[in-house]
Amino acid sequence: MYPWDGKNVYFLGFMASGKSAIGREFSKMLGWPFYDTDDLVEQAAGKTISEIFEQDGEQAFRDLESRVVKSVSEKKHQVVSLGGGAIIRQDNWKYIIDSGITIGLMAPVSVLAERIARKSHRPLMYNLKGDELIKKIESLLKEREPFYIRAQYKFENTGLLTVHDFTQEIFNTIRDDI
């Protein structure tokens, strides 16, 4: 018996911490469906997250994200990658912990900055480079870290392992923890 039997497995952490890539791989290991709440928000809105932020504002995005988290939490046996800020809302956190186990992915600021700099679609990071980007990451991390550390399992994603090997390490650690 695994700690995730009868539950969902939720990956949480800062943007670019590897939640989607690791979550997809973990879902393959379990043979369960994978969902990314950011993708589900975009599908529900019929537009990208960037467009939601630009046209409707962050509050509208967070409200839609909460509806998605609630909907996902009502099902079982799925692997879910949560948006970086999804766990800040207490209602979301309750839906998550009531329906599954939580795996927090942490990464050094330098790794996050390098990954974020490669993608321009992250609304809270538009047009930021170098020191500005690092300061924004550090600021958001300081705000969100108290929420991230509530995860039942925590792993440091330094990017030194392949997605498969890192996912296998997570799987083995959690499996051995029962």
Side-chain angles (χ1 to χ4, degrees), residues 20-37:
S20 295
I22 302 301
R24 273 188 201 89
E25 188 71 17
F26 202 85
S27 75
K28 290 177 191 172
M29 288 180 173
L30 295 181
W32 291 2
F34 171 77
Y35 297 99
D36 183 315
T37 59

Side-chain angles (χ1 to χ4, degrees), residues 90-119:
Q90 188 57 36
D91 286 349
N92 291 351
W93 183 247
K94 179 151 177 44
Y95 298 139
I96 292 162
I97 62 168
D98 285 351
S99 65
I101 67 163
T102 53
I103 300 171
L105 298 182
M106 314 307 175
V109 171
S110 60
V111 171
L112 295 171
E114 188 271 323
R115 291 176 182 168
I116 290 168
R118 283 189 264 155
K119 295 187 178 180

Side-chain angles (χ1 to χ4, degrees), residues 4 6-11 19-37 39-40 43 71-82 99 101:
W4 52 79
K7 299 179 179 183
N8 293 324
V9 175
Y10 294 97
F11 283 89
K19 300 178 305 279
S20 295
I22 302 301
R24 273 188 201 89
E25 188 71 17
F26 202 85
S27 75
K28 290 177 191 172
M29 288 180 173
L30 295 181
W32 291 2
F34 171 77
Y35 297 99
D36 183 315
T37 59
D39 292 344
L40 295 173
Q43 290 171 14
S71 175
V72 165
S73 73
E74 293 169 347
K75 299 177 181 105
K76 299 292 176 229
H77 296 112
Q78 54 194 353
V79 177
V80 181
S81 168
L82 298 163
S99 65
I101 67 163

Side-chain angles (χ1 to χ4, degrees), residues 50-85:
S50 295
E51 290 170 334
I52 297 169
F53 267 75
E54 290 169 12
Q55 298 168 13
D56 308 316
E58 184 175 358
Q59 184 66 39
F61 167 77
R62 296 291 173 205
D63 291 344
L64 183 53
E65 180 179 58
S66 290
R67 289 195 297 276
V68 164
V69 168
K70 182 178 188 296
S71 175
V72 165
S73 73
E74 293 169 347
K75 299 177 181 105
K76 299 292 176 229
H77 296 112
Q78 54 194 353
V79 177
V80 181
S81 168
L82 298 163

Side-chain angles (χ1 to χ4, degrees), residues 140-157:
L140 280 173
L141 270 175
K142 184 177 180 182
E143 178 185 311
R144 293 178 177 180
E145 201 163 42
F147 298 97
Y148 295 153
I149 62 172
R150 296 188 298 182
Q152 292 162 285
Y153 301 92
K154 294 167 214 53
F155 295 89
E156 183 82 7
N157 185 0

